[in-house]
């Protein structure tokens, strides 16, 4: 396993989605590699805070266990940082990520180590099914690293995450 993924293929003309962006914190970093940033969150209040940062072209209220309110193949990258522990239906969620990514697009996420390692709610198995069915390739499953090391609660500060990076498959060339 590698600790960090290779340099992104996103460019200054790329479109990226920051799903469940938790008030736009990860969007600020994504803006450096994307010309157009679209945010989604289940909380209208969090979306209001994110909109106030003036970095999102669009924002949408969305539930990751349901269909995403975006067109097919519209994103060069999808980021999901610090929220996959709330997903109940990884078959639905990861299927939607595949649907909205362009061929060759990247899905970059963090997930709590124990939830990924123990395959809670079928998270790892669903990701592996997409690899086995050649819908995407696994680029990186990172080594465990601290999730919230500065949190004063010892239980919270002890939690670890893994960085996950997948690339949507490109169509096979016609013979």
């Amino acid at each position: 396993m590698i600790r960090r993924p290779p340099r992104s293929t996103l460019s200054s003309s790329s479109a990226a989605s920051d799903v469940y962006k938790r008030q736009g914190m990860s969007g600020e970093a994504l803006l450096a590699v994307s010309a157009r940033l679209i945010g989604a969150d289940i909380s209208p209040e969090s979306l209001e805070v994110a909109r106030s940062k003036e970095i999102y072209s669009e924002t949408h209220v969305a539930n990751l266990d349901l269909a995403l309110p975006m067109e097919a193949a519209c994103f060069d990258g999808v980021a999901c940082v610090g929220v996959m522990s709330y997903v109940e239906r990884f078959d639905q969620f990861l299927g939607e990520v595949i649907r909205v990514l362009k061929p060759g697009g990247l899905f970059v996420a963090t997930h709590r180590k124990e939830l990924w390692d123990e395959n809670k709610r079928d998270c790892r198995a669903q990701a592996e099914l997409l690899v086995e069915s050649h819908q995407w390739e696994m680029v990186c499953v990172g080594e465990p690293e601290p999730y919230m090391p500065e949190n004063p609660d010892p239980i919270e500060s002890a939690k670890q995450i893994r960085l996950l990076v997948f690339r949507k498959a490109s169509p096979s060339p016609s013979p």
Side-chain angles (χ1 to χ4, degrees):
M1 288 189 280
I2 59 176
R3 185 150 178 81
R4 294 279 179 215
R7 188 175 174 107
S8 169
T9 59
L10 297 181
S11 70
S12 60
S13 63
S14 297
S17 176
D18 183 15
V19 292
Y20 274 66
K21 69 207 151 358
R22 307 202 57 190
Q23 303 177 352
M25 293 175 355
S26 57
E28 292 168 337
L30 285 172
L31 196 57
V33 295
S34 179
R36 190 171 59 111
L37 192 59
I38 296 165
D41 199 300
I42 198 167
S43 164
E45 294 81 13
S46 289
L47 286 173
E48 192 58 41
V49 172
R51 278 192 292 271
S52 73
K53 295 183 179 195
E54 300 180 352
I55 59 174
Y56 292 94
S57 302
E58 301 171 28
T59 59
H60 300 274
V61 174
N63 179 332
L64 296 185
D65 290 319
L66 303 173
L68 295 174
M70 289 97 176
E71 295 179 26
C74 62
F75 294 116
D76 299 289
V78 173
C80 188
V81 178
V83 296
M84 283 183 37
S85 59
Y86 301 107
V87 173
E88 295 290 328
R89 296 201 45 223
F90 280 92
D91 59 334
Q92 172 70 32
F93 171 60
L94 296 178
E96 281 296 289
V97 169
I98 289 287
R99 183 183 70 79
V100 302
L101 277 173
K102 293 177 182 177
L106 292 174
F107 173 56
V108 179
T110 60
H111 198 28
R112 295 226 326 261
K113 176 195 175 297
E114 75 278 5
L115 300 178
W116 178 261
D117 291 357
E118 297 169 19
N119 195 31
K120 297 292 184 181
R121 294 188 298 274
D122 225 19
C123 60
R124 192 180 69 242
Q126 290 299 320
E128 290 170 351
L129 277 174
L130 293 171
V131 172
E132 292 167 12
S133 64
H134 306 287
Q135 294 183 61
W136 70 12
E137 68 174 302
M138 183 184 306
V139 176
C140 168
V141 174
E143 294 296 325
E145 54 188 279
Y147 177 42
M148 297 184 291
E150 304 298 319
N151 192 310
D153 180 339
I155 292 171
E156 294 298 316
S157 65
K159 290 179 181 176
Q160 294 184 313
I161 59 167
R162 288 190 185 276
L163 175 67
L164 309 171
V165 182
F166 295 89
R167 182 182 316 277
K168 182 176 178 176
S170 294
S172 299
S174 299

